[in-house]
Amino acid sequence: EIQQLDEMGFEFDSSIFPSYRPGVYSNLDVPLSPYRPEGSERLVEYPIGALPKIRVPLSQSYLKLFGRPYLWVLKRIALPEILIFDSHLQDFYQTASHNQLDVPLRQIHQRNLGVSVELFQSLTRILRGKGYKFVKMSDIHDRIDYR
């Protein structure tokens, strides 16, 4: 929980998806840009990027799911100044955990898995073309004063 991270002295977190996933989370009220959670003395939340208005997460799993049309949209819309992109090992490679998923979810996770690295490379070209630089989270946090 965010409060526990703050109490433990963490300065930042990036685990909130400002979107909606049925049966899992509903964070449509969460800001799309970095913010200090209510009651936090030190912690700054850097939400996972989401497409403005429709709040589809900016993540490798959605890039795989939607494929090239997703890239087409990303190339043409304004994106947040600070963009946190979510990915996991299983978004790029077949892992043992894939076989433990129920069939519909397994099919979703395996969609475009064979071209996932290529899709990610296309994404990085699009983001670089929009002027984005790839840095560590601590670099972002150190450059911005949220006090």
Side-chain angles (χ1 to χ4, degrees):
E1 182 169 315
I2 298 294
Q3 178 102 16
Q4 290 174 325
L5 293 176
D6 189 52
E7 290 169 4
M8 293 175 69
F10 281 78
E11 293 184 19
F12 62 89
D13 174 64
S14 185
S15 63
I16 303 293
F17 285 84
S19 58
Y20 174 73
R21 185 169 171 194
V24 181
Y25 56 80
S26 178
N27 296 323
L28 296 174
D29 60 336
V30 172
L32 293 172
S33 56
Y35 64 96
R36 189 175 304 279
E38 187 176 331
S40 291
E41 294 180 26
R42 148 187 286 186
L43 186 81
V44 175
E45 177 64 34
Y46 294 89
I48 302 296
L51 297 178
K53 296 185 182 169
I54 59 173
R55 291 191 173 232
V56 172
L58 293 162
S59 71
Q60 189 67 20
S61 59
Y62 279 84
L63 178 55
K64 283 184 6 216
L65 180 62
F66 297 127
R68 299 223 175 268
Y70 188 79
L71 289 172
W72 185 89
V73 169
L74 292 178
K75 192 172 188 176
R76 286 160 178 78
I77 65 167
L79 296 170
E81 180 182 349
I82 297 174
L83 191 153
I84 309 301
F85 186 80
D86 173 67
S87 66
H88 300 277
L89 182 62
Q90 68 267 16
D91 291 325
F92 295 98
Y93 303 102
Q94 177 80 29
T95 64
S97 64
H98 281 99
N99 297 331
Q100 297 172 5
L101 298 170
D102 292 333
V103 172
L105 194 53
R106 184 179 334 140
Q107 290 172 332
I108 290 170
H109 280 278
Q110 290 180 328
R111 180 168 163 71
N112 288 318
L113 187 61
V115 294
S116 186
V117 172
E118 178 187 324
L119 290 169
F120 183 74
Q121 289 169 336
S122 296
L123 171 72
T124 59
R125 283 192 294 276
I126 289 169
L127 295 177
R128 282 192 176 105
K130 288 180 169 260
Y132 283 95
K133 294 182 175 111
F134 298 86
V135 299
K136 297 181 292 189
M137 292 292 298
S138 57
D139 292 340
I140 294 170
H141 187 69
D142 291 344
R143 288 184 202 160
I144 300 172
D145 184 13
Y146 286 94
R147 291 162 195 47

